[in-house]
Amino acid sequence: MQSWLDHLADHPGPKYLAIADAIEQGVRTGTLRPGERLPPQRELATMLGVDLTTVTRAYGLAREAGMIEGAGRLGSYVRNSAGLPPADVTGDAGMIMPPQPGFALLGDAIHRGLAALLRAGGQSPLLQYQPTGGALRDRQEAASAYVARGVATGADQVVIAAGGQNALHAIMAASLRPGDRIAAPRITYPGLIAIARQLALEIVPVAADAGGIDPDAVQAAAAAGAKAVYVVPTNDNPTTATLDLERRLWLAAIVRRHGLTLIEDDAYGLLPARPLPPLAAFVPERSWHIASVSKIISPALRVAHVRAPDAATAARLAADIHATAVMAPPLNAALVTHWLRDDSFADLIAQLRTEGIARQRLVAPLLHGLDAAAHPEGYHLWLRLPGDAPRPAEISARLRPLGLSVVAGERFAIEPAAMAPAVRISIGGAIGHDRLKGAVSALRALLRPA
C-alpha cells in the first residue's frame, strides 16, 4: 500500500474525508510528489475495502481543492503546482485555533452556505451596512439558540459583535467605569488583561483550582468592592478547568447576592457532547454572555453572539460596537444564522469535537508523567513545568519551527512575578497528526532529556 495511506485508519471522520485528507497530507509533506500518479479509483477501493463511490468522492474533493488533476483514462495525478501553503504554516502562535482536518466539512459548508445566501442576486442587503447591533434575522436566530440552551432571551437582548474580543471590549466599556474592580482568576485570558489596562479598570485576582474559579474567593472580592466577575466556565483558557453544575449554581447565587455584573466568556461552552447550562441560565438578570463562533469553528468567522441582561443594556452595547467596529461582517453573521437554521452549525461543532478528541488521545501518552491538564474534547493544554525545565520562552522558540503553538504562562498571569513556570499548548490549527506527534515528542525530550 502507498505510504501516504499509512495513517488512514487513524482518521476519526468518514472514509472519503480520510482519503482526501491523506492526499492533502501527502502533497504537503512531499510523500506525494508533483506528477505522481494516484492508484486507479477501483483499485484503491478494493485495497481499502470501501465502495467505489467513496474513493470517487475523495478524489473529487482533492480535485476541487486543486491538488490533483485527471488525465482521462490515464487516471489522476498530483498537480505540478498544488497551490498549498507549506506544511509548517500555523498562523499566530499566540492563539488557540480550532483544529481543521484537511477535508473537514467547513470549506464545503462555507461554499454551500454563501451560495444559498447570494443566490437571489440583485441588491442583496447582506452586501450593505447592517442595523446597529445586527440584522433582526440574525438576532432572532441567536435568541432561539440561547433559549435552546436554557437561557430566556428575546431578540432585543442580543447583539451581533465582530468576534469575542470585540464583544468583551464593548461589554467592559458599556458596563464599567475607570477605577472599577473586576474579579477574575489569577491565571486568565490575556485579552481581558489588555482591555482592563486600556479602560483603566483594576483586575482583582481570585483563587481557582482544578474545578475552576472559587466562588468563595469571588464573594470576598465582592465584599472588598469588586463590581464584576469574569469567567470562562467551560474549558478555561488557559487552564482547561470546567465549572461543574454545583459550582455554577454557587457562583450564580453569589453574583445575585452581591449585585455583581457577570461577564461569561463562553467560547467553548458547546464543545462537550453533553454541555452544561451557561451561568446566564441561573442569573439572567445580571449576565452578559458571549458565544464566539471564531473560537469554536474558525477564526475566519469574526462573529460573536452577545446576550445582554435586558434590552436597554443591549442597545448601549450595540452603540459601543458600532463606534469601535461598526458591525460584524454581514456575510459572516448571515452564514452563521443559515447554519443554525439547517443544523450545519451543530454538525461542524460535532466534527471539530471528534477531531479534538483524536488529538487529545494522540498527545496524552507523550505527556504521561508530566503535570498537564486538558479537556478531553478541547484543543489546548496547560502544562506546569518541572523545576529543571528550560524557560518557557526558550521552549516556545524551540518548538515554533515544528509548528506547535506554545505560549509562556506569564502572559496569562494577573501577577506575573508570582507565576510558577507553565506553558499553554495549542494542539489545534492546521498542523496534521504526524507533525503534532513529532512536535509534542520534541517537547517531551526538552522536559525529560534522559
Side-chain angles (χ1 to χ4, degrees):
M1 185 175 289
Q2 303 294 315
S3 61
W4 58 275
L5 290 168
D6 285 350
H7 301 284
L8 195 64
D10 298 333
H11 195 288
K15 279 295 182 185
Y16 78 93
L17 290 179
I19 297 168
D21 187 49
I23 294 172
E24 188 209 27
Q25 292 301 319
V27 172
R28 285 185 186 277
T29 61
T31 306
L32 284 172
R33 299 183 179 279
E36 184 172 344
R37 184 173 183 263
L38 295 177
Q41 295 181 25
R42 193 175 300 277
E43 178 182 320
L44 184 59
T46 301
M47 291 167 60
L48 299 177
V50 299
D51 293 336
L52 175 61
T53 54
T54 298
V55 178
T56 301
R57 192 173 182 187
Y59 277 29
L61 282 174
R63 191 175 300 109
E64 289 175 7
M67 287 181 297
I68 67 174
E69 56 189 348
R73 293 183 179 180
L74 295 178
S76 298
Y77 292 80
V78 177
R79 288 187 60 186
N80 287 324
S81 177
L84 290 171
D88 61 351
V89 173
T90 58
D92 186 338
M95 304 298 288
I96 296 176
M97 292 179 284
Q100 295 298 338
F103 281 93
L105 299 179
L106 178 60
D108 186 48
I110 291 174
H111 176 77
R112 287 185 291 102
L114 289 179
L117 290 171
L118 297 175
R119 193 169 292 133
Q123 299 298 316
S124 172
L126 298 178
L127 304 181
Q128 309 298 324
Y129 284 105
Q130 301 295 292
T132 300
L136 178 59
R137 61 183 177 279
D138 298 330
R139 293 187 289 108
Q140 288 174 331
E141 198 62 35
S144 296
Y146 274 117
V147 171
R149 296 187 66 189
V151 187
T153 305
D156 58 355
Q157 290 177 264
V158 174
V159 178
I160 311 298
Q165 186 72 2
N166 174 236
L168 184 58
H169 183 282
I171 289 169
M172 293 172 68
S175 59
L176 299 170
R177 296 291 175 266
D180 282 351
R181 310 179 79 191
I182 177 170
R186 296 182 186 280
I187 303 170
T188 193
Y189 172 52
L192 172 78
I193 299 174
I195 294 171
R197 288 173 180 163
Q198 184 182 25
L199 298 179
L201 303 172
E202 180 184 352
I203 302 181
V204 181
V206 300
D209 56 25
I213 194 169
D214 181 352
D216 280 341
V218 174
Q219 181 161 263
K227 293 189 175 181
V229 57
Y230 170 85
V231 62
V232 181
T234 299
N235 193 27
D236 175 61
N237 177 19
T239 68
T240 77
T242 293
L243 298 174
D244 62 19
L245 183 59
E246 180 181 1
R247 195 171 291 206
R248 291 177 191 233
L249 290 166
W250 183 9
L251 182 58
I254 288 170
V255 166
R256 180 174 284 123
R257 183 184 309 144
H258 291 274
L260 294 172
T261 295
L262 173 64
I263 302 175
E264 184 176 10
D265 193 350
D266 202 16
Y268 308 106
L270 291 174
L271 261 186
R274 296 182 177 179
L276 289 167
L279 285 159
F282 307 122
V283 58
E285 76 281 5
R286 306 295 312 172
S287 296
W288 292 94
H289 184 281
I290 305 170
S292 171
V293 178
S294 308
K295 293 184 176 67
I296 201 169
I297 291 183
S298 171
L301 298 168
R302 304 308 305 161
V303 176
H305 295 160
V306 184
R307 181 205 179 272
D310 52 56
T313 51
R316 291 203 302 272
L317 184 75
D320 190 87
I321 288 176
H322 184 80
T324 56
V326 181
M327 61 183 178
L331 279 174
N332 285 11
L335 182 61
V336 173
T337 295
H338 179 77
W339 286 344
L340 286 168
R341 287 177 175 172
D342 73 358
D343 291 331
S344 295
F345 193 85
D347 291 342
L348 288 166
I349 293 175
Q351 186 192 31
L352 187 143
R353 180 187 303 121
T354 298
E355 178 67 14
I357 292 170
R359 293 183 180 221
Q360 293 288 359
R361 289 176 176 171
L362 185 151
V363 303
L366 304 174
L367 299 173
H368 180 71
L370 297 174
D371 189 3
H375 190 289
E377 296 161 303
Y379 32 89
H380 73 279
L381 311 166
W382 180 244
L383 178 63
R384 300 171 185 86
L385 300 176
D388 57 350
R391 293 181 298 109
E394 180 183 346
I395 294 173
S396 178
R398 294 276 292 273
L399 295 173
R400 189 177 300 117
L402 301 180
L404 193 66
S405 172
V406 179
V407 180
E410 306 95 84
R411 185 170 172 183
F412 305 92
I414 297 172
E415 299 170 329
M419 176 75 198
V423 291
R424 188 203 67 193
I425 304 167
S426 172
I427 60 173
I431 186 171
H433 287 200
D434 287 344
R435 296 189 69 239
L436 175 61
K437 185 175 182 179
V440 176
S441 296
L443 168 65
R444 184 175 183 87
L446 282 176
L447 302 181
R448 291 279 191 266

